[in-house]
Amino acid sequence: MSEILIKNAYVIDPISGVNGETMDIAIRDGRIVEDVGGGAEVIDARGALTLPGGIDSHTHICGTKVNFGRYMSPEDMRAGRTARHGYMHATSGYSVPTTYGNSYRYSRMGYTTLLEGAMAPLEARHTHEEFLYTPLQDTMANALFDGNWSILEAIRDGDTKRVAAIIGWFLTAVKGFAVKLTNPGGTEAWGWGKDVTCIHNPVPNFEVSPSEIITAVVKANEMLRLPHSVHLHCNNLGKPGNYTCTMGTLGLIPDLNKKRQTLYATHVQFHSYGGSGWSDFCSKSEPVANVVNMRPQIVIDMGQVMFGKTTTMTADGPMEFNLYRLHHDKWSNHDVELETGSGIIPVLYRRKNLVNAVMWAIGLELGLLVKDPWQCIMATDNPNGAPFVRYPEVIALLMSKKYRDEEFATVHPDTESRVPLPAIEREMDWYEIAVMTRAAQAKALGIVDIGKGHLGVGAEADVAIYPVRADEVDPAVDYRKVIEAFGKTEYTIKRGRVVSRRGECLVDGNNTTIWVKPKISEEYNMANDPDFIAKFDRYYTVRMSNYPVQDEYLKRNLCIETEAEL
Amino acid sequence: MMRVSLAVRPRKKPTIPIEAETITPASFLEGAEIQVWRGNRELPLDEVFAVTIEGAADRPEDVEIVLSGDTSRMKRVGEYMDAGRIVIDGDIGMHCGNFMSGGVIEIGGNADGWLGREMQGGTIICRGNAADYCAAGYRGGRKGMTGGTVEIFGNAGDFAAENLAGGTVIIHGNAGDMAGVELHDGTLIIKGDCRRPCGNMSGGVCVIYGIAYDMLPTFRKMGTEIRDGREFLSFTGDIANRGKGNLIVKDCTYQD
Ligand SMILES: [Zn+2]
């Protein structure tokens, strides 16, 4: 039995309804409890800001894409080099660091749970292998279904139950956590050298449109009673004028779930562009934020861009090819058999580049214009908009108009005529930041019930203590202190153990992989379906029996079983 | 003038590389103890070399370092050197003269891979052969050598002057495959033959006095020009990527 008592913590815990109370937190055997005995290890927080452990609900840290980013950018490994030290392995890399680099850097920022945003089902083993070496955070993965042939055929046949059954089979087989659609239909079309330009364009060979894919998969997701909603990367990412497509997409979504949103739209910054080309490119954050404000069934994440070097990586192969045509730098594209694809290119976002400056502004505008912080999550689509180590700066920009104005003064001078940012006065408070960096993620991912994202009795003891007095520091003025505080915790506690202290990781770590298994009736068990089996025999490079990820790929893990309506 | 003689002491395991980026003229000025790494062990310089110092200097320009003995596994000698002179009697290991910005390195024997990687200025002379990636960039990087001169009297390996972005590289013998690949700026001169030169070249000049085997079809022939009384063919490319480099060859062959 191990016990910790955190004394004098200045707690903000939005899910439990705590907003700035100085209290003690008792921990026993990895869980929050009412109280502990006199022998407990005492941590004196001295009034420092204490939050539930941070959760990133959309990041790219593990798997084939990330690793290909490492492979094609060996020069990235020249940055971020740290030698082996104590429990910490050597690390290197900046935008695509080693797995330990990711894990240590997240941990020193107080993050304890991560969702890998895009795992190709066929390549799931690689993701799970890298999860094992990301030891200081609990991990889970979105599985990609945007171009799955069996699903596209079931949608064409109007059989939503079959769609759900297929998704259920794949999620269980690859030990995934949620359903991801990346440029639905577009990446499949790209396999034939085409793309879709609007949600009503039919996908070649399947005669279904992105809007049909999205609506059917959203329904199927709810039939499976999955913890998380569909996680969508809209069509037309990065194209001027794409905001109409984004608004049309958000408009398709009914409100189907009482506990959480029905759709999680990711990195919406990349989908809120006006203009007919790059010359009249401008922000359309206002209409997009308005749609979100009117539709409680939608949650978005910002997809904030920060200036500097990074690597873009997505299952959206055609988008990456367009990006290559702009930059003429190295690029890669990859096709994943009957499922999806991907592309990767390194980029440099420059503040003196008008397009980049507008992108930077749009992310912040979404954060500030979406009224309810539970509906807009802070994220950079790591590393696409910026590596996650830039989160403290993003937080400070949301909290300080002064900081935004100072930064705005350094960007391309024409930016002002293209974006509403300078006119937005809103400054987020500590509570709203706590929502946008952990509570909203836990609710959106549907993991509050397993004890994530809060500090109520029974919750997982994942705690971040930041070296800042939230009751004394004015974040709007002292934004430097905000950046510093969120950059390095005083303590990061994971499942009741101090894993990181002032930036130094203190244990080897032993994370949990969270995955789902919908319980489906025999009638809808795809393992017995001749057409489904034929796909493997006829097209896949692996047999169906060899496809599922074996148990040995997961060490410590938590399977959430759901009662599917099938 | 300060003259530093470094004579390699006999080694039990001569194949274990020695990381010797501390061997630069400037580091002998400071009087600090110089360490090198042998495998995973850090050692004082005089455990690896018999060190003799004659004279004194207060600027690196006035320092000459002479390495003798088996230096073929000494890596990174002269890295970041900005002035002075290093003379190597025999062969030198990989990454000699990385990031060098001034001064002279003279190698009597052969140089291993990555000689003068990302060099910014100064001069490297190699009397023997240079291995792969001579005067090149770093893996994945966009800019290789940006200034100075590298002169190889023997042959060079594959990827010579890869990503060259400034300065001059002269190879008196033959170069290997992919010489001048990704060349952006600067000048590459090959007195002998080479294979598949200048793929994805975007600017700069490459002159080949021998035969360019397996020329890439993505270079457009512009005409002929006379050099040293002989007729050369002048090409522009690599047009596959809208490059505007100038590739001049005495003779060339294309793949069937
Ligand atoms: Zn993403």
Side-chain angles (χ1 to χ4, degrees):
Chain A
M1 191 173 75
S2 79
E3 294 186 334
I4 295 179
L5 182 66
I6 307 170
K7 297 188 92 135
N8 305 315
Y10 183 86
V11 176
I12 299 178
D13 174 6
I15 288 172
S16 309
V18 179
N19 183 8
E21 273 176 48
T22 302
M23 50 166 53
D24 297 348
I25 299 169
I27 297 167
R28 182 183 308 119
D29 294 335
R31 295 264 163 190
I32 309 277
V33 292
E34 291 286 359
D35 48 44
V36 285
E41 178 192 343
V42 174
I43 290 173
D44 189 350
R46 297 166 198 245
L49 176 65
T50 303
L51 305 177
I55 301 174
D56 200 333
S57 56
H58 190 103
T59 179
H60 301 280
I61 43 153
C62 293
T64 46
K65 260 190 335 309
V66 181
N67 209 44
F68 204 82
R70 296 182 185 117
Y71 180 77
M72 69 186 270
S73 290
E75 75 280 12
D76 190 68
M77 292 296 166
R78 303 175 96 166
R81 290 183 185 178
T82 56
R84 191 180 77 175
H85 176 61
Y87 279 94
M88 298 167 77
H89 295 254
T91 75
S92 65
Y94 173 62
S95 64
V96 276
T98 56
T99 56
Y100 288 117
N102 278 323
S103 196
Y104 300 154
R105 290 172 208 173
Y106 262 122
S107 188
R108 76 195 318 238
M109 288 165 47
Y111 277 75
T112 51
T113 305
L114 306 173
L115 175 97
E116 162 56 47
M119 171 173 81
L122 179 63
E123 294 166 354
R125 283 174 180 77
H126 194 144
T127 307
H128 287 296
E129 283 175 321
E130 292 197 359
F131 279 172
L132 285 179
Y133 297 94
T134 309
L136 301 180
Q137 286 82 24
D138 290 341
T139 47
M140 45 196 145
N142 280 338
L144 290 157
F145 291 105
D146 41 76
N148 188 296
W149 290 11
S150 299
I151 291 176
L152 295 180
E153 286 170 3
I155 295 169
R156 181 196 59 202
D157 299 342
D159 189 347
T160 310
K161 284 191 164 177
R162 186 177 172 85
V163 174
I166 296 166
I167 290 175
W169 185 88
F170 274 105
L171 280 175
T172 306
V174 304
K175 297 182 163 57
F177 176 74
V179 175
K180 173 81 182 292
L181 296 175
T182 291
N183 184 5
T187 302
E188 170 54 31
W190 179 236
W192 309 95
K194 300 188 173 73
D195 193 0
V196 289
T197 52
C198 139
I199 53 171
H200 303 297
N201 268 172
V203 179
N205 305 318
F206 292 97
E207 301 315 311
V208 292
S209 65
S211 69
E212 289 167 315
I213 298 172
I214 295 162
T215 42
V217 173
V218 162
K219 270 192 217 143
N221 192 91
E222 299 309 316
M223 275 180 191
L224 292 168
R225 299 224 178 98
L226 298 179
H228 188 35
S229 68
V230 167
H231 196 112
L232 175 68
H233 155 142
C234 292
N235 301 99
N236 281 329
L237 182 144
K239 292 184 196 153
N242 64 9
Y243 80 107
T244 52
C245 172
T246 306
M247 294 191 359
T249 304
L250 301 183
L252 294 172
I253 308 303
D255 191 350
L256 299 178
N257 194 299
K258 285 194 194 72
K259 283 180 82 172
R260 52 146 172 82
Q261 76 288 351
T262 305
L263 183 80
Y264 180 108
T266 189
H267 43 66
V268 174
Q269 175 277 129
F270 291 111
H271 304 275
S272 303
Y273 299 161
S276 55
W278 297 111
S279 57
D280 59 349
F281 181 74
C282 64
S283 167
K284 286 290 178 188
S285 59
E286 284 172 315
V288 172
N290 283 341
V291 172
V292 176
N293 287 334
M294 287 185 303
R295 299 181 77 81
Q297 65 268 46
I298 307 287
V299 165
I300 66 169
D301 76 55
M302 292 162 67
Q304 177 64 25
V305 157
M306 296 293 277
F307 302 115
K309 265 189 196 174
T310 194
T311 306
T312 67
M313 52 180 66
T314 164
D316 195 342
M319 189 288 293
E320 291 283 0
F321 179 69
N322 288 330
L323 216 51
Y324 157 71
R325 290 197 294 188
L326 283 178
H327 293 269
H328 280 279
D329 200 352
K330 54 188 168 188
W331 66 296
S332 86
N333 243 217
H334 175 52
D335 177 57
V336 187
E337 303 192 9
L338 278 65
E339 300 181 351
T340 180
S342 71
I344 300 159
I345 82 161
V347 296
L348 170 62
Y349 296 116
R350 293 187 172 93
R351 48 181 86 228
K352 295 298 179 197
N353 174 301
L354 181 56
V355 168
N356 294 166
V358 171
M359 292 165 79
W360 169 81
I362 294 173
L364 294 172
E365 288 158 14
L366 290 168
L368 297 163
L369 293 171
V370 171
K371 290 186 185 129
D372 182 357
W374 294 89
Q375 278 186 275
C376 186
I377 277 165
M378 193 284 300
T380 60
D381 188 19
N382 165 66
N384 287 299
F388 65 85
V389 291
R390 310 291 300 275
Y391 284 180
E393 293 162 75
V394 180
I395 291 169
L397 287 163
L398 292 169
M399 296 184 96
S400 170
K401 166 88 167 125
K402 179 173 166 234
Y403 184 28
R404 292 201 294 271
D405 287 347
E406 285 171 19
E407 286 289 290
F408 204 86
T410 67
V411 303
H412 191 288
D414 294 349
T415 311
E416 193 158 10
S417 62
R418 313 284 182 107
V419 306
L421 186 65
I424 302 173
E425 298 292 332
R426 184 173 178 188
E427 290 177 327
M428 301 251 168
D429 60 23
W430 301 101
Y431 182 87
E432 289 171 311
I433 293 301
V435 173
M436 291 176 75
T437 55
R438 50 263 293 155
Q441 281 85 344
K443 188 176 166 218
L445 295 174
I447 53 174
V448 175
D449 292 347
I450 59 166
K452 291 292 183 184
H454 64 104
L455 300 173
V457 168
E460 287 251 312
D462 296 351
V463 189
I465 305 175
Y466 294 99
V468 64
R469 293 289 305 250
D471 49 347
E472 288 172 6
V473 169
D474 180 353
V477 180
D478 279 337
Y479 62 82
R480 291 273 153 222
K481 285 191 181 154
V482 173
I483 297 173
E484 202 184 311
F486 281 109
K488 196 197 286 180
T489 59
E490 196 63 25
Y491 295 88
T492 303
I493 296 169
K494 173 91 201 68
R495 211 186 319 123
R497 281 199 300 175
V498 177
V499 293
S500 175
R501 171 100 169 93
R502 292 184 184 153
E504 170 93 16
C505 296
L506 303 174
V507 297
D508 277 331
N510 179 14
N511 69 335
T512 304
T513 294
I514 304 165
W515 57 291
V516 298
K517 189 196 269 179
K519 280 199 260 175
I520 293 171
S521 68
E522 231 6 66
E523 188 192 343
Y524 280 96
N525 182 356
M526 297 311 293
N528 308 326
D529 185 279
D531 282 355
F532 188 66
I533 297 167
K535 284 279 183 298
F536 288 88
D537 293 341
R538 181 132 188 241
Y539 298 110
Y540 266 116
T541 53
V542 288
R543 282 181 188 285
M544 192 177 186
S545 55
N546 289 331
Y547 189 97
V549 173
Q550 296 91 329
D551 290 340
E552 57 260 38
Y553 279 83
L554 279 74
K555 294 289 184 274
R556 195 189 161 86
N557 69 94
L558 173 70
C559 173
I560 300 178
E561 284 193 271
T562 68
E563 300 289 336
E565 296 163 35
L566 283 175
Chain B
M1 266 307 279
M2 177 192 275
R3 191 164 186 278
V4 180
S5 295
L6 302 175
V8 180
R9 294 183 190 278
R11 297 172 66 196
K12 267 195 217 125
K13 292 180 180 166
T15 52
I16 295 179
I18 291 181
E19 301 264 339
E21 75 276 21
T22 45
I23 299 179
T24 65
S27 43
F28 284 90
L29 290 177
E30 292 146 15
E33 206 185 320
I34 298 172
Q35 311 262 3
V36 294
W37 287 86
R38 185 183 67 203
N40 58 4
R41 246 186 236 142
E42 198 171 17
L43 304 170
L45 188 66
D46 62 9
E47 234 176 85
V48 180
F49 296 96
V51 183
T52 322
I53 298 179
E54 296 162 56
D58 46 29
R59 35 180 222 148
E61 288 87 326
D62 298 335
V63 178
E64 183 183 67
I65 302 169
V66 179
L67 284 94
S68 56
D70 180 7
T71 48
S72 62
R73 305 288 286 178
M74 306 278 165
K75 290 157 109 181
R76 298 165 70 190
V77 169
E79 183 171 284
Y80 286 109
M81 138 173 197
D82 54 2
R85 189 177 177 83
I86 297 178
V87 178
I88 297 147
D89 286 350
D91 300 342
I92 193 67
M94 289 197 283
H95 293 283
C96 175
N98 278 353
F99 304 107
M100 171 179 182
S101 59
V104 177
I105 297 177
E106 216 181 317
I107 301 155
N110 302 323
D112 207 341
W114 307 97
L115 174 66
R117 159 163 76 79
E118 291 171 282
M119 177 176 176
Q120 297 156 21
T123 303
I124 296 178
I125 294 163
C126 175
R127 302 277 167 204
N129 302 322
D132 296 342
Y133 288 97
C134 153
Y138 182 70
R139 293 233 188 266
R142 278 61 156 188
K143 247 187 195 175
M145 174 173 166
T146 53
T149 304
V150 175
E151 192 165 6
I152 311 294
F153 284 88
N155 302 321
D158 296 339
F159 296 96
E162 176 247 26
N163 261 303
L164 184 70
T168 304
V169 180
I170 305 161
I171 297 160
H172 290 273
N174 301 322
D177 199 7
M178 297 275 184
V181 64
E182 298 279 355
L183 204 153
H184 319 258
D185 205 349
T187 307
L188 169 62
I189 294 167
I190 299 168
K191 296 285 189 173
D193 307 332
C194 68
R195 207 173 147 252
R196 295 196 293 181
C198 296
N200 216 25
M201 180 185 203
S202 57
V205 180
C206 174
V207 188
I208 297 163
Y209 284 76
I211 304 165
Y213 292 103
D214 295 344
M215 267 283 285
L216 298 173
T218 48
F219 281 80
R220 184 183 295 130
K221 198 166 153 188
M222 305 298 284
T224 57
E225 62 178 74
I226 304 299
R227 287 187 168 240
D228 308 337
R230 300 190 292 162
E231 192 179 86
F232 282 66
L233 303 166
S234 177
F235 293 84
T236 186
D238 182 334
I239 54 173
N241 221 352
R242 291 181 271 177
K244 294 188 169 59
N246 189 194
L247 173 58
I248 300 156
V249 302
K250 177 70 197 75
D251 253 317
C252 62
T253 68
Y254 287 90
Q255 231 168 12
D256 299 330

Short mmCIF file of all heavy atoms in Angstrom, two decimals, chain A residues 58-60 65 116-118 142 180 182 231 233 237 266-267 270 301 313-315 380-384, ligand 1:
data_model
loop_
_atom_site.label_atom_id
_atom_site.label_comp_id
_atom_site.label_asym_id
_atom_site.label_seq_id
_atom_site.Cartn_x
_atom_site.Cartn_y
_atom_site.Cartn_z
N HIS A 58 -5.49 14.80 -28.96
CA HIS A 58 -5.12 14.61 -30.38
C HIS A 58 -3.64 14.92 -30.57
O HIS A 58 -3.23 16.07 -30.66
CB HIS A 58 -5.97 15.50 -31.31
CG HIS A 58 -5.77 15.14 -32.75
ND1 HIS A 58 -6.67 14.42 -33.48
CD2 HIS A 58 -4.73 15.38 -33.58
CE1 HIS A 58 -6.21 14.23 -34.70
NE2 HIS A 58 -5.03 14.80 -34.79
N THR A 59 -2.84 13.90 -30.63
CA THR A 59 -1.40 14.08 -30.82
C THR A 59 -0.88 12.91 -31.65
O THR A 59 -1.52 11.87 -31.73
CB THR A 59 -0.70 14.16 -29.46
OG1 THR A 59 0.71 14.31 -29.65
CG2 THR A 59 -0.93 12.91 -28.61
N HIS A 60 0.25 13.14 -32.29
CA HIS A 60 0.87 12.07 -33.08
C HIS A 60 2.22 11.77 -32.48
O HIS A 60 3.16 12.54 -32.60
CB HIS A 60 1.00 12.48 -34.54
CG HIS A 60 -0.33 12.79 -35.15
ND1 HIS A 60 -1.18 11.81 -35.60
CD2 HIS A 60 -0.99 13.96 -35.32
CE1 HIS A 60 -2.30 12.38 -36.04
NE2 HIS A 60 -2.21 13.68 -35.87
N LYS A 65 3.53 6.44 -39.08
CA LYS A 65 3.67 7.78 -39.64
C LYS A 65 4.73 8.57 -38.89
O LYS A 65 5.62 9.18 -39.48
CB LYS A 65 2.36 8.56 -39.50
CG LYS A 65 1.54 8.60 -40.70
CD LYS A 65 0.37 9.54 -40.65
CE LYS A 65 -0.27 9.95 -39.37
NZ LYS A 65 -0.68 9.03 -38.40
N GLU A 116 -3.19 8.91 -29.37
CA GLU A 116 -2.57 8.96 -30.69
C GLU A 116 -3.69 9.17 -31.71
O GLU A 116 -4.65 8.39 -31.76
CB GLU A 116 -1.80 7.65 -30.95
CG GLU A 116 -1.45 7.36 -32.40
CD GLU A 116 -0.66 8.45 -33.10
OE1 GLU A 116 0.32 8.95 -32.52
OE2 GLU A 116 -1.04 8.83 -34.23
N GLY A 117 -3.57 10.23 -32.50
CA GLY A 117 -4.69 10.69 -33.31
C GLY A 117 -5.02 9.86 -34.53
O GLY A 117 -6.12 9.96 -35.06
N ALA A 118 -4.10 9.03 -35.01
CA ALA A 118 -4.37 8.31 -36.25
C ALA A 118 -3.52 7.06 -36.35
O ALA A 118 -2.33 7.14 -36.61
CB ALA A 118 -4.10 9.21 -37.45
N ASN A 142 -6.73 6.32 -31.90
CA ASN A 142 -7.81 6.37 -32.88
C ASN A 142 -7.45 5.43 -34.02
O ASN A 142 -6.34 5.50 -34.55
CB ASN A 142 -7.88 7.77 -33.51
CG ASN A 142 -8.60 8.77 -32.64
OD1 ASN A 142 -9.38 8.41 -31.76
ND2 ASN A 142 -8.34 10.03 -32.90
N LYS A 180 -11.61 7.11 -36.15
CA LYS A 180 -11.09 8.31 -36.79
C LYS A 180 -11.43 8.28 -38.27
O LYS A 180 -11.28 7.26 -38.94
CB LYS A 180 -9.55 8.35 -36.63
CG LYS A 180 -8.85 9.47 -37.38
CD LYS A 180 -8.93 10.79 -36.63
CE LYS A 180 -8.26 11.95 -37.37
NZ LYS A 180 -6.82 11.82 -37.47
N THR A 182 -10.25 10.47 -41.52
CA THR A 182 -9.36 11.51 -42.02
C THR A 182 -9.68 11.75 -43.47
O THR A 182 -9.57 10.83 -44.28
CB THR A 182 -7.88 11.06 -41.87
OG1 THR A 182 -7.56 11.03 -40.49
CG2 THR A 182 -6.95 12.02 -42.57
N HIS A 231 -14.16 10.86 -34.44
CA HIS A 231 -13.08 11.85 -34.38
C HIS A 231 -12.76 12.20 -35.84
O HIS A 231 -12.25 11.36 -36.58
CB HIS A 231 -11.90 11.18 -33.68
CG HIS A 231 -10.84 12.09 -33.18
ND1 HIS A 231 -10.61 12.27 -31.83
CD2 HIS A 231 -9.93 12.86 -33.81
CE1 HIS A 231 -9.59 13.12 -31.67
NE2 HIS A 231 -9.15 13.49 -32.85
N HIS A 233 -11.29 14.43 -39.08
CA HIS A 233 -10.43 15.39 -39.77
C HIS A 233 -11.19 15.66 -41.06
O HIS A 233 -11.35 14.75 -41.89
CB HIS A 233 -9.05 14.72 -39.95
CG HIS A 233 -8.17 15.19 -41.06
ND1 HIS A 233 -6.80 15.28 -40.90
CD2 HIS A 233 -8.40 15.53 -42.34
CE1 HIS A 233 -6.24 15.65 -42.04
NE2 HIS A 233 -7.19 15.81 -42.94
N LEU A 237 -8.60 19.80 -46.06
CA LEU A 237 -7.69 20.46 -45.12
C LEU A 237 -6.71 21.37 -45.86
O LEU A 237 -6.16 21.02 -46.90
CB LEU A 237 -6.89 19.42 -44.33
CG LEU A 237 -5.92 19.99 -43.27
CD1 LEU A 237 -5.89 19.07 -42.06
CD2 LEU A 237 -4.52 20.18 -43.79
N THR A 266 -11.31 17.66 -35.40
CA THR A 266 -9.94 17.95 -34.95
C THR A 266 -9.26 19.03 -35.80
O THR A 266 -9.69 19.29 -36.93
CB THR A 266 -9.10 16.65 -34.91
OG1 THR A 266 -7.86 16.94 -34.28
CG2 THR A 266 -8.84 16.10 -36.31
N HIS A 267 -8.26 19.65 -35.22
CA HIS A 267 -7.43 20.71 -35.82
C HIS A 267 -8.22 21.61 -36.78
O HIS A 267 -7.87 21.77 -37.94
CB HIS A 267 -6.16 20.16 -36.48
CG HIS A 267 -6.34 18.92 -37.31
ND1 HIS A 267 -7.06 18.90 -38.47
CD2 HIS A 267 -5.87 17.66 -37.14
CE1 HIS A 267 -7.01 17.68 -38.98
NE2 HIS A 267 -6.31 16.92 -38.19
N PHE A 270 -7.00 24.33 -39.41
CA PHE A 270 -6.64 24.00 -40.80
C PHE A 270 -7.87 23.93 -41.71
O PHE A 270 -7.74 23.74 -42.91
CB PHE A 270 -5.92 22.65 -40.86
CG PHE A 270 -4.54 22.63 -40.24
CD1 PHE A 270 -4.29 21.93 -39.07
CD2 PHE A 270 -3.49 23.31 -40.85
CE1 PHE A 270 -3.01 21.90 -38.51
CE2 PHE A 270 -2.21 23.27 -40.30
CZ PHE A 270 -1.97 22.57 -39.13
N ASP A 301 -10.96 20.74 -31.61
CA ASP A 301 -9.69 21.20 -31.03
C ASP A 301 -9.06 22.20 -31.98
O ASP A 301 -9.37 22.24 -33.17
CB ASP A 301 -8.75 20.05 -30.63
CG ASP A 301 -8.05 19.37 -31.78
OD1 ASP A 301 -7.37 20.07 -32.56
OD2 ASP A 301 -8.14 18.12 -31.89
N MET A 313 2.28 15.52 -40.53
CA MET A 313 2.03 14.10 -40.82
C MET A 313 0.55 13.83 -40.64
O MET A 313 -0.06 14.25 -39.69
CB MET A 313 2.83 13.22 -39.88
CG MET A 313 2.66 13.55 -38.42
SD MET A 313 3.64 12.46 -37.41
CE MET A 313 5.28 12.95 -37.91
N THR A 314 -0.02 13.19 -41.61
CA THR A 314 -1.45 12.90 -41.54
C THR A 314 -1.77 11.74 -42.47
O THR A 314 -1.01 11.44 -43.40
CB THR A 314 -2.28 14.14 -41.93
OG1 THR A 314 -3.61 13.72 -42.21
CG2 THR A 314 -1.72 14.84 -43.13
N ALA A 315 -2.92 11.12 -42.20
CA ALA A 315 -3.42 10.10 -43.11
C ALA A 315 -3.94 10.74 -44.39
O ALA A 315 -4.28 10.05 -45.34
CB ALA A 315 -4.53 9.31 -42.43
N THR A 380 -2.21 21.40 -30.67
CA THR A 380 -1.55 21.87 -31.90
C THR A 380 -1.57 20.80 -32.98
O THR A 380 -0.88 20.95 -33.98
CB THR A 380 -0.08 22.24 -31.63
OG1 THR A 380 0.59 21.07 -31.15
CG2 THR A 380 0.06 23.36 -30.62
N ASP A 381 -2.32 19.71 -32.74
CA ASP A 381 -2.23 18.58 -33.64
C ASP A 381 -0.76 18.14 -33.70
O ASP A 381 -0.22 17.90 -34.77
CB ASP A 381 -2.75 18.95 -35.04
CG ASP A 381 -2.87 17.75 -35.97
OD1 ASP A 381 -2.88 16.62 -35.46
OD2 ASP A 381 -2.94 17.96 -37.20
N ASN A 382 -0.14 18.09 -32.53
CA ASN A 382 1.30 17.79 -32.45
C ASN A 382 1.69 16.66 -33.40
O ASN A 382 1.05 15.63 -33.40
CB ASN A 382 1.64 17.35 -31.01
CG ASN A 382 3.00 16.69 -30.91
OD1 ASN A 382 4.01 17.34 -31.13
ND2 ASN A 382 3.03 15.40 -30.64
N PRO A 383 2.73 16.83 -34.21
CA PRO A 383 3.52 18.04 -34.37
C PRO A 383 3.09 18.92 -35.55
O PRO A 383 3.84 19.80 -35.95
CB PRO A 383 4.91 17.46 -34.64
CG PRO A 383 4.62 16.21 -35.42
CD PRO A 383 3.30 15.68 -34.93
N ASN A 384 1.89 18.69 -36.09
CA ASN A 384 1.53 19.37 -37.35
C ASN A 384 1.50 20.89 -37.25
O ASN A 384 2.01 21.58 -38.12
CB ASN A 384 0.17 18.87 -37.84
CG ASN A 384 0.26 17.47 -38.40
OD1 ASN A 384 0.98 17.25 -39.35
ND2 ASN A 384 -0.44 16.53 -37.80
ZN ZN C 1 -3.73 14.93 -36.36
#
